[in-house]
Amino acid sequence: MGVPACNVEISAENGKAGANSDAVAPLRRSSARLQKMQNQKSSSVEVSAENESGSNGIRKESSVSRKNTGRAYRKRKVETPHATVLPQNGVVGEATETPEMVNGGDTIISSSDSLVGKSAHTKVTETLRTFNKYYLHFIQEEEKRCKRQEVDQKSPKSSKSKKNCKTADDTKRGSKRPDLKAITKMMEMGAILNPEKRFGSIPGIDVGHQFFSRAEMVVVGFHGHWLNGIDFIGSAARNSLLDCSQYTLPLATSIVLSGQYEDDQDNCEDVVYTGQGGNNLLGDKRQIRDQVMERGNLGLKNCMEQSIPVRVTRGHQCRKNENSYAGKVYTYDGLYKVVKYWAEKGVSGFTVYKFRLKRLDGQPPLTTNQVYFTRGRIPNSISEIRGLVCEDITGGQEEIPIPVTNLVDEPPIPPKGFTYIKGMKFAKNIIFGTKAPPGCNCQGKCTDPRTCACAKLNGGDFPYVHSHGGRLIEPKAVVFECGPNCGCGPDCVNRISQRPPNYRLEVFRTPRMGWGVRSWDYIPSGAPVCEYIGLLMKTDDIDPAADNSYVFDIDCLQTMNALDGRERRLRDVTLPSHVGKVDETSESVPFCIDAGQTGNFARFINHSCQPNLFVQCVLSNHHDIKLARVILMAADNIPPLKELTYDYGYALDSVMGPDGKIKQMLCYCGAADCRKRLF
């Protein structure tokens, strides 16, 4: 008997921990500033001792504060790690400082002290975000180039001019590779992590880490070249690094198994790897000449003789909608030792060098089987879903059903106490102060930022690129999308956040944080995941004694104007005149979104101190910034089954109870740089 669609009507169990009917109602999600304002108005809100201690069994709803758009993704200064010359630990050379980094797209200038206390995982994450920002910028340039070429081909030019234009494009191959241009940009900025090569593991990159392009491996210093299968430390390093005198160079540091050579044999723990050279690099894996014992081949031989381990990464094919420039995803499978090498005639009759590598003991289990990706627990049908308690929490409202699973509670139950809605509801006293904006005069799709009125509001360019269904290049204080009075249609690149959810999602029960959300599909950085939906109402109308933990403050204006200690994030947007008339000194948050009784799946997304989503305020149907839409977007390339999270943005020691004492609540996000407390 199948599992019926779950009942999500309003229930008295809303906000209670687990399945216990006597559990304490959760804390409201209030920003620090708003909490202080409300504490002055009312002292009726009480918090249980269980909530304060963060004991086991507590729901996510009872361990969070009100979500705050302005603080949800604040900038942090970062730099590369300072790697000292410690050959015994596999480090060769000294890393340089990074003058420019990014956190979720927020570019900042870092200092030599900015990474004090930062974990290696955070450094890797922020370096990859820097790369993704530049990568998307160069994708936008490439899209513009292709558009110009399309226009030129339609224009009445001479055939000679067209021929010359084509020749010029063909000679500038780099312009067609935004990933390579992003690498170059990061090198120019000194933003490469671990620029000096090292043996052994790379801090912050664990076994099972997935790279979504070879370029990502380069920018974090994991594998030094975007094409070569063997990365090695050459003999030239001896001249600049005195500590290399104890080694015979070259020495291999990393290899990539991606099925490029016809003589490779991959048996997971035991690998026969074909050396580099002699391959035609045309994708048919054929050898066209003999290999030579030099460079990477000699590096692997020297690793065997000096017992130096080698990092092994496997590449596997991915689907078209996954975020990989070359159509592959690369998984780090750990350290291997070279145990044997020999030369033989290969399949094509040319001499190749073979290297047998064995995986070192004591490492986490492999996550890849040969070069094929195992998709873990992702089911192919409803019948394969473990712990299914609801086939579709949306009740058929979303285009893609969202199942609910519960492997924690006994007996397993679905979430109750709310009604699922697809679109925003409005309180009766909500009256928009502005009409729909005049919009742009573009037809069909917005393509030319020089003539599009909406692009001009975004600083003279479109904030999105078409890549992978549409991606935001970097976070902005506010994004102006095309609205009802624009001439373009639903496929316009400047309407990305208005499209329905595009991923197979699942609401699931977590052991310590209540309900959470994860995706069965890859989500590329910059992609919109969902809008926070609920009842839009005036903040003053919230009942302070209701303990509603699903209230989301719309305080975009306060963030833009750097109020309450926040950093100004106006960026390159051009605010319309009516927005500028708003009181820029007011710290009040007049409107909020209440998803306590009505809302969508966004209400279940948990907090993390190192989240993979960020909050983006968007204006489309109107330009009233106090009523901006709240969109959750991917800050990173998110692999399947990774829980979706964003930072609720609470400042520590900022919440006070009715008695005037500071309230504290533990955080269970498990991030490497977890603040240990939610507030």
Side-chain angles (χ1 to χ4, degrees):
M1 183 175 180
V3 179
C6 60
N7 181 6
V8 294
E9 293 303 317
I10 299 175
S11 167
E13 295 185 20
N14 181 36
K16 296 184 179 180
N20 300 326
S21 60
D22 56 349
V24 179
L27 264 176
R28 294 177 53 185
R29 295 180 185 172
S30 304
S31 66
R33 169 175 34 75
L34 196 57
Q35 280 273 4
K36 293 177 182 178
M37 294 169 56
Q38 291 172 341
N39 286 336
Q40 294 173 357
K41 294 180 180 180
S42 173
S43 61
S44 61
V45 179
E46 298 181 358
V47 183
S48 70
E50 179 185 4
N51 282 349
E52 292 184 49
S53 62
S55 59
N56 291 341
I58 196 168
R59 291 182 54 135
K60 176 210 65 174
E61 294 91 335
S62 62
S63 62
V64 295
S65 59
R66 176 181 293 178
K67 303 173 183 179
N68 181 308
T69 62
R71 293 171 178 263
Y73 217 69
R74 301 189 65 179
K75 293 186 286 187
R76 291 182 292 171
K77 295 184 178 180
V78 296
E79 63 173 302
T80 56
H82 195 70
T84 55
V85 182
L86 297 172
Q88 65 271 24
N89 292 334
V91 179
V92 179
E94 184 171 341
T96 58
E97 297 175 3
T98 302
E100 184 179 20
M101 281 295 189
V102 68
N103 183 37
D106 291 336
T107 305
I108 56 177
I109 304 300
S110 65
S111 65
S112 58
D113 299 328
S114 59
L115 270 187
V116 175
K118 296 291 184 181
S119 70
H121 291 86
T122 298
K123 298 168 188 175
V124 170
T125 297
E126 294 184 345
T127 301
L128 291 175
R129 289 176 181 174
T130 305
F131 168 78
N132 286 327
K133 181 196 70 170
Y134 289 135
Y135 174 69
L136 291 175
H137 272 296
F138 289 122
I139 281 183
Q140 187 177 56
E141 285 191 2
E142 179 64 12
E143 289 181 353
K144 290 179 181 178
R145 186 190 68 83
C146 293
K147 185 62 181 179
R148 288 195 300 268
Q149 189 176 34
E150 179 182 342
V151 173
D152 290 341
Q153 290 175 349
K154 293 180 180 179
S155 62
K157 291 184 177 181
S158 64
S159 59
K160 181 179 180 180
S161 298
K162 292 181 181 179
K163 181 178 180 180
N164 291 338
C165 180
K166 181 178 180 180
T167 302
D169 284 337
D170 289 342
T171 59
K172 297 181 180 180
R173 301 292 296 178
S175 66
K176 299 180 180 180
R177 291 295 302 266
D179 55 340
L180 303 187
K181 296 188 73 173
I183 292 176
T184 301
K185 180 66 174 179
M186 292 187 68
M187 288 181 175
E188 293 173 354
M189 302 302 299
I192 299 294
L193 191 65
N194 305 313
E196 300 294 344
K197 297 181 180 181
R198 60 175 71 194
F199 309 126
S201 300
I202 300 296
I205 302 177
D206 302 324
V207 172
H209 182 99
Q210 290 185 329
F211 297 96
F212 296 89
S213 69
R214 293 283 288 268
E216 285 190 1
M217 300 168 67
V218 173
V219 299
V220 297
F222 186 84
H223 192 87
H225 196 275
W226 64 273
L227 181 60
N228 293 341
I230 305 176
D231 190 22
F232 62 92
I233 299 173
S235 302
R238 192 185 313 280
N239 299 328
S240 57
L241 303 172
L242 298 178
D243 285 44
C244 280
S245 59
Q246 60 183 296
Y247 299 105
T248 299
L249 300 177
L251 280 171
T253 60
S254 170
I255 65 172
V256 177
L257 288 166
S258 57
Q260 184 64 38
Y261 286 83
E262 59 189 355
D263 295 289
D264 282 347
Q265 297 178 25
D266 187 355
N267 296 312
C268 299
E269 304 279 347
D270 194 324
V271 176
V272 176
Y273 181 76
T274 305
Q276 65 182 188
N279 187 278
N280 61 10
L281 300 179
L282 296 179
D284 58 10
K285 307 180 183 181
R286 293 187 61 80
Q287 291 289 130
I288 57 175
R289 59 180 177 273
D290 293 337
Q291 292 184 348
V292 180
M293 179 55 73
E294 62 181 11
R295 298 170 60 79
N297 296 337
L298 184 56
L300 286 173
K301 171 180 175 291
N302 289 338
C303 281
M304 182 196 72
E305 295 174 348
Q306 299 175 79
S307 299
I308 302 295
V310 179
R311 298 186 294 273
V312 172
T313 304
R314 287 175 169 86
H316 44 81
Q317 297 292 332
C318 60
R319 295 176 301 169
K320 292 182 179 179
N321 65 336
E322 293 173 356
N323 182 34
S324 174
Y325 187 89
K328 288 185 177 181
V329 175
Y330 300 86
T331 304
Y332 173 47
D333 280 337
L335 297 176
Y336 285 65
K337 60 181 178 181
V338 184
V339 297
K340 183 180 179 181
Y341 83 94
W342 66 94
E344 66 178 36
K345 291 294 183 181
V347 175
S348 298
F350 296 95
T351 299
V352 295
Y353 284 98
K354 297 291 190 70
F355 299 89
R356 186 178 181 185
L357 296 91
K358 286 191 174 182
R359 195 168 189 260
L360 298 182
D361 295 332
Q363 300 184 88
L366 288 171
T367 55
T368 53
N369 179 13
Q370 296 186 0
V371 297
Y372 299 100
F373 179 48
T374 302
R375 294 191 175 274
R377 295 177 286 106
I378 299 178
N380 294 316
S381 64
I382 289 292
S383 62
E384 295 180 9
I385 301 178
R386 297 176 58 231
L388 182 68
V389 293
C390 174
E391 291 188 359
D392 183 11
I393 197 172
T394 79
Q397 295 184 58
E398 303 288 1
E399 294 183 5
I400 303 176
I402 302 178
V404 183
T405 61
N406 189 343
L407 294 171
V408 176
D409 295 328
E410 187 60 42
I413 58 173
K416 296 181 179 180
F418 82 105
T419 301
Y420 194 97
I421 58 174
K422 183 178 180 180
M424 193 74 71
K425 287 191 174 182
F426 303 91
K428 294 180 180 180
N429 59 351
I430 294 294
I431 301 176
F432 289 99
T434 58
K435 297 180 180 179
C440 62
N441 296 321
C442 305
Q443 298 298 319
K445 297 180 181 180
C446 296
T447 57
D448 190 348
R450 296 170 298 180
T451 59
C452 177
C454 297
K456 293 178 180 178
L457 292 174
N458 289 297
D461 215 335
F462 299 116
Y464 302 103
V465 295
H466 290 86
S467 171
H468 296 90
R471 300 163 65 181
L472 183 69
I473 297 175
E474 59 180 324
K476 292 177 174 288
V478 63
V479 167
F480 291 90
E481 289 191 346
C482 294
N485 291 331
C486 293
C488 58
D491 294 332
C492 174
V493 71
N494 201 36
R495 295 180 182 267
I496 296 300
S497 76
Q498 302 172 37
R499 300 172 185 173
N502 192 36
Y503 305 102
R504 296 179 298 165
L505 301 169
E506 171 194 350
V507 174
F508 71 104
R509 187 69 163 171
T510 70
R512 306 189 77 178
M513 296 191 296
W515 297 102
V517 180
R518 59 190 170 201
S519 172
W520 296 356
D521 298 313
Y522 281 94
I523 302 178
S525 64
V529 175
C530 62
E531 180 177 357
Y532 195 89
I533 296 294
L535 175 67
L536 196 152
M537 60 187 301
K538 292 183 178 180
T539 305
D540 291 340
D541 293 339
I542 293 290
D543 182 2
D547 288 331
N548 185 351
S549 62
Y550 295 96
V551 178
F552 200 133
D553 294 331
I554 306 176
D555 55 357
C556 179
L557 182 65
Q558 285 70 25
T559 301
M560 293 171 60
N561 292 299
L563 298 178
D564 197 21
R566 302 172 224 188
E567 298 182 50
R568 185 183 297 271
R569 295 181 61 222
L570 280 176
R571 296 192 176 277
D572 297 325
V573 298
T574 302
L575 299 181
S577 58
H578 62 271
V579 173
K581 296 178 182 179
V582 178
D583 183 5
E584 296 185 355
T585 63
S586 174
E587 293 194 9
S588 64
V589 181
F591 300 100
C592 62
I593 302 171
D594 179 5
Q597 296 184 346
T598 58
N600 65 346
F601 67 89
R603 72 196 295 275
F604 297 115
I605 298 179
N606 272 317
H607 160 85
S608 174
C609 297
Q610 190 175 343
N612 50 28
L613 303 178
F614 66 91
V615 173
Q616 177 62 64
C617 289
V618 175
L619 296 174
S620 53
N621 293 335
H622 59 81
H623 283 174
D624 189 342
I625 207 163
K626 301 187 302 298
L627 298 169
R629 296 168 57 226
V630 176
I631 309 298
L632 296 176
M633 295 190 166
D636 309 308
N637 294 318
I638 306 174
L641 298 179
K642 183 77 171 179
E643 182 178 358
L644 305 179
T645 60
Y646 67 98
D647 193 337
Y648 289 176
Y650 243 79
L652 296 181
D653 298 328
S654 62
V655 179
M656 300 180 65
D659 56 0
K661 295 182 179 180
I662 294 176
K663 291 289 185 181
Q664 296 183 358
M665 183 167 287
L666 299 180
C667 178
Y668 297 106
C669 72
D673 285 340
C674 178
R675 298 188 289 269
K676 307 304 179 184
R677 284 162 45 199
L678 196 60
F679 51 80

